[in-house]
Amino acid sequence: MTDFPKIILREPAAAEFSAAVPTLLQRLYASRGLFRDADLESGLEHLPKPEMKGMAEACALLANALEKQHRLLIVGDFDCDGATSTSLAVLGLRALGAADVDYLVPNRFEYGYGLTPEIVAVAAERQPDLIITVDNGISSIDGVAAAAKLGIPVLVTDHHLPGDSLPQAAAIVNPNQHGCPFAGKSLAGVGVMFYVLLALRSELQQRGWFTGERAKPNLAEFLDLVALGTVADVVPLEHLNRILVEQGLRRIRAGRCRPGIQALLRVAGKESGRLVASDMGFSIGPRLNAAGRLDDMSLGIRCLLTEDADTALNLAAELDDLNRERRSIEQSMKDDAMRVLAHLQLDPTAVPNGICLYDPTWHQGVVGILASRIKDRYHRPVIAFADADGEEIKGSARSIPGLHMRDALDLIAKRHPGLLNKFGGHAMAAGMSLAKADYERFAKAFDAIVAELTSAEQLTAAVYSDGELTAEDLSLERAELLRGAGPWGQNFPEPLFHGRFRLVQQRIVGARHLKMVLAPEQGGEQIFDAIAFNIDTDVWPSPTTEYVELVYKLDSNLFRERLSLQLMVEHLRSL
């Protein structure tokens, strides 16, 4: 729970919705760039065709490999998008008739990210006829070259932004590569792989591949994986991604999903029938990510691949244990970081525009989450570093709206040649490595770049509110309407409201959560529950507080088979 931010009211543009769309939703949609009923279509028939640069070459390569029964090796990434991409590639290619498909995920602590020459050497021991990268590869110039020297062609499927040079792969499918006409630039790695499978199925059908016992598979069966990876990777939920996520959610709610996803929901205490996109981002994704952060992502992939429910549950329990350990490590690191920043705050001029943090005791797998937490607390771009091998440190960056993190790092690399050993990523998140001896110089360079590229307004915490709700709108019916009106997510945010309320009751639940009973500020008999997570226990509960101002989400809570209205409080302050 951060300090109370500046509230900016969302202003909906003119829209042309029919009367079938409730008035409240019309206003919410119009302020998020949707203006007509067609923008809300979520059927698979509304997906754009898989017409991407490099797709024809990729499908020919894969179809030839299937016909020749070649040995295929998937090389993935160690986050949730990578795990779902790898699982999707293995399952999808097998469903399409591949005779031999295996996977390999680099351990982040031994090999780092992507198709490096070192991981190619490991891959070569399995004697693959073709390496397929998922959720990585666009920057793996040396790795692809190393594979070529060994006579192993590489198909790159990725969604990360390309650098100035591309690897000399047999084929590259990435909607963000230069010259790609595909409009869906926001696909996650798992979304790119799904499109490759769709296009490959068409290519195989044209070749007369699906005959006799070899049936044409229904690739929609894998949309649960696509939805999970898309939400967990926090890519913008543009129309294409909303369709993929909504279709995946429908399958999960109906119980038609991977046993591993069912098991992860069970250990997280989530009801599959009421699953929403945020549950995948906050409950399932972190448990999968914990494997890649603390151990080996192959544990998470095995959970997603298994067809056996009992095996899935055992693996999900292991992932849940790792996630608990991750949370403990993260809290300790956050306490360290907050002590450092508290010293800086003694002198307001010492708080940097761009925050860099490093501690030799920090865990390399958790610095990304730490950077995200500190970014949320201070509303500054943050890079957290941990020791890597030898004299190198690795950093994980999280940005704020208005600062494109990868572009900022690219500018640093151009102005300070040799300062960064490696870097890559997105607008809102990136990773990098540099010499430990260069940390202070990099921290100053990052601070200077952030100061140059951002304004004071951008560095001031603010939230966009959809306004105040009337007493009539503060209802379970409205909460259920909003719950089903998504999927909500990155660049298509869940509705957020603000208002003043009378504080009827307050108590701490768990370690640091404030449970409240509220009533409208102007009185009346209506009361409802609210909860604020991770509050400052030095301030709350506050026996002298009678009225509060909140920024909140309207939600419903299922407890002992009873649904009730609940406000999910993002920010609060006494009045």
Side-chain angles (χ1 to χ4, degrees):
M1 185 66 56
T2 59
D3 295 336
F4 204 83
K6 175 184 177 183
I7 295 175
I8 301 174
L9 195 63
R10 289 188 184 276
E11 297 292 345
E16 302 173 356
F17 290 108
S18 71
V21 181
T23 303
L24 175 60
L25 294 186
Q26 290 189 29
R27 176 166 65 85
L28 296 173
Y29 288 145
S31 66
R32 288 159 174 77
L34 308 187
F35 305 111
R36 54 195 65 83
D37 289 27
D39 296 334
L40 307 177
E41 297 288 355
S42 59
L44 291 175
E45 68 273 13
H46 297 285
L47 287 176
K49 294 180 179 179
E51 297 170 345
M52 296 185 201
K53 182 179 179 179
M55 187 67 86
E57 293 84 352
C59 289
L61 189 68
L62 287 168
N64 291 340
L66 265 62
E67 288 177 344
K68 296 175 182 177
Q69 295 191 329
H70 278 172
R71 185 178 291 116
L72 309 179
L73 181 65
I74 314 301
V75 176
D77 187 17
F78 37 66
D79 65 359
C80 188
D81 187 15
T84 52
S85 300
T86 302
S87 302
L88 174 66
V90 171
L91 294 167
L93 288 169
R94 287 175 181 170
L96 288 167
D100 190 340
V101 187
D102 200 359
Y103 67 91
L104 175 64
V105 179
N107 184 299
R108 76 161 74 212
F109 310 111
E110 294 182 46
Y111 299 104
Y113 168 79
L115 187 71
T116 61
E118 294 78 12
I119 206 67
V120 167
V122 176
E125 295 174 4
R126 305 192 188 184
Q127 299 181 321
D129 297 300
L130 175 65
I131 290 175
I132 305 164
T133 71
V134 292
D135 192 31
N136 76 95
I138 197 65
S139 60
S140 300
I141 294 171
D142 294 341
V144 170
K149 285 183 180 180
L150 296 172
I152 308 171
V154 177
L155 164 59
V156 169
T157 76
D158 201 353
H159 71 122
H160 294 92
L161 298 175
D164 295 332
S165 300
L166 295 179
Q168 296 300 304
I172 297 175
V173 180
N174 182 340
N176 289 302
Q177 65 177 309
H178 304 301
C180 182
F182 191 74
K185 305 296 185 185
S186 62
L187 278 174
V190 70
V192 174
M193 190 62 221
F194 183 70
Y195 261 86
V196 170
L197 293 173
L198 289 175
L200 175 58
R201 186 178 62 178
S202 296
E203 172 71 19
L204 290 170
Q205 186 168 11
Q206 289 178 5
R207 296 189 183 198
W209 178 256
F210 302 112
T211 57
E213 294 182 359
R214 190 186 293 129
K216 179 181 174 182
N218 178 13
L219 296 176
E221 292 179 359
F222 304 119
L223 282 167
D224 53 347
L225 293 171
V226 179
L228 173 56
T230 298
V231 172
D233 213 44
V234 203
V235 293
L237 285 194
E238 297 170 358
H239 194 193
L240 164 59
N241 283 334
R242 288 202 308 278
I243 293 174
L244 294 174
V245 171
E246 176 60 22
Q247 290 293 325
L249 280 170
R250 290 180 187 179
R251 298 191 70 83
I252 297 172
R253 290 176 191 139
R256 294 182 290 128
C257 66
R258 303 294 306 164
I261 291 180
Q262 287 277 24
L264 286 164
L265 286 170
R266 183 172 170 182
V267 299
K270 292 294 179 181
E271 185 73 37
S272 61
R274 286 181 52 78
L275 194 75
V276 293
S278 60
D279 293 325
M280 292 193 289
F282 292 111
S283 295
I284 309 178
R287 285 170 170 80
L288 280 171
N289 276 329
R293 293 186 188 282
L294 300 185
D295 192 9
D296 189 329
M297 184 46 94
S298 60
L299 176 66
I301 295 171
R302 293 205 311 275
C303 182
L304 294 177
L305 286 178
T306 184
E307 302 290 345
D308 182 74
D310 290 337
T311 301
L313 190 58
N314 289 334
L315 291 169
E318 288 187 55
L319 291 167
D320 190 51
D321 288 341
L322 282 173
N323 193 50
R324 293 176 192 277
E325 182 183 351
R326 185 272 304 169
R327 284 202 298 256
S328 176
I329 294 170
E330 176 198 336
Q331 186 59 51
S332 175
M333 290 167 58
K334 184 178 178 183
D335 291 343
D336 291 342
M338 296 304 284
R339 280 192 289 271
V340 172
L341 292 169
H343 287 300
L344 289 177
Q345 284 191 303
L346 296 175
D347 177 6
T349 63
V351 180
N353 297 283
I355 297 174
C356 283
L357 297 164
Y358 162 67
D359 190 300
T361 66
W362 285 351
H363 195 291
Q364 189 186 127
V366 186
V367 287
I369 300 176
L370 174 66
S372 181
R373 300 287 190 265
I374 301 300
K375 181 264 297 182
D376 290 343
R377 176 68 178 82
Y378 287 92
H379 199 71
R380 293 282 196 278
V382 176
I383 308 177
F385 288 90
D387 280 346
D389 294 331
E391 294 303 310
E392 189 175 68
I393 57 176
K394 289 187 177 180
S396 191
R398 297 295 184 269
S399 195
I400 59 173
L403 180 80
H404 192 296
M405 183 58 77
R406 189 197 174 280
D407 287 355
L409 294 174
D410 188 51
L411 195 54
I412 291 174
K414 287 182 169 69
R415 291 185 183 178
H416 304 273
L419 181 57
L420 281 165
N421 295 343
K422 291 180 183 178
F423 70 94
H426 304 286
M428 301 305 289
M432 75 225 65
S433 62
L434 55 103
K436 189 183 302 185
D438 289 334
Y439 169 73
E440 294 294 343
R441 187 159 69 97
F442 174 81
K444 290 179 182 177
F446 181 62
D447 183 35
I449 286 292
V450 173
E452 178 183 332
L453 299 180
T454 59
S455 65
E457 185 177 357
Q458 288 172 317
L459 297 176
T460 301
V463 295
Y464 285 86
S465 170
D466 291 292
E468 298 188 53
L469 290 178
T470 64
E472 292 74 23
D473 281 330
L474 285 165
S475 66
L476 179 60
E477 179 186 17
R478 284 291 189 268
E480 288 290 280
L481 176 69
L482 296 179
R483 190 178 181 87
W488 311 102
Q490 181 71 11
N491 284 27
F492 194 70
E494 189 174 351
L496 199 63
F497 307 99
H498 71 277
R500 299 183 173 204
F501 300 90
R502 182 165 57 88
L503 185 57
V504 179
Q505 294 177 18
Q506 53 179 317
R507 61 188 175 92
I508 296 292
V509 296
R512 298 177 58 199
H513 312 320
L514 184 67
K515 185 81 171 178
M516 295 171 279
V517 176
L518 304 173
E521 182 184 28
Q522 302 305 323
E525 296 182 1
Q526 182 186 21
I527 60 170
F528 33 82
D529 292 333
I531 188 165
F533 294 104
N534 297 315
I535 53 89
D536 185 347
T537 52
D538 290 334
V539 177
W540 300 97
S542 173
T544 60
T545 297
E546 296 183 27
Y547 293 90
V548 291
E549 183 173 12
L550 308 179
V551 176
Y552 64 92
K553 294 174 182 175
L554 198 65
D555 199 6
S556 54
N557 182 43
L558 180 64
F559 183 68
R560 293 179 180 172
E561 299 184 355
R562 176 179 173 270
L563 269 180
S564 60
L565 176 68
Q566 181 171 254
L567 274 56
M568 309 297 290
V569 178
E570 301 277 317
H571 306 278
L572 82 159
R573 65 178 173 188
S574 301
L575 292 175

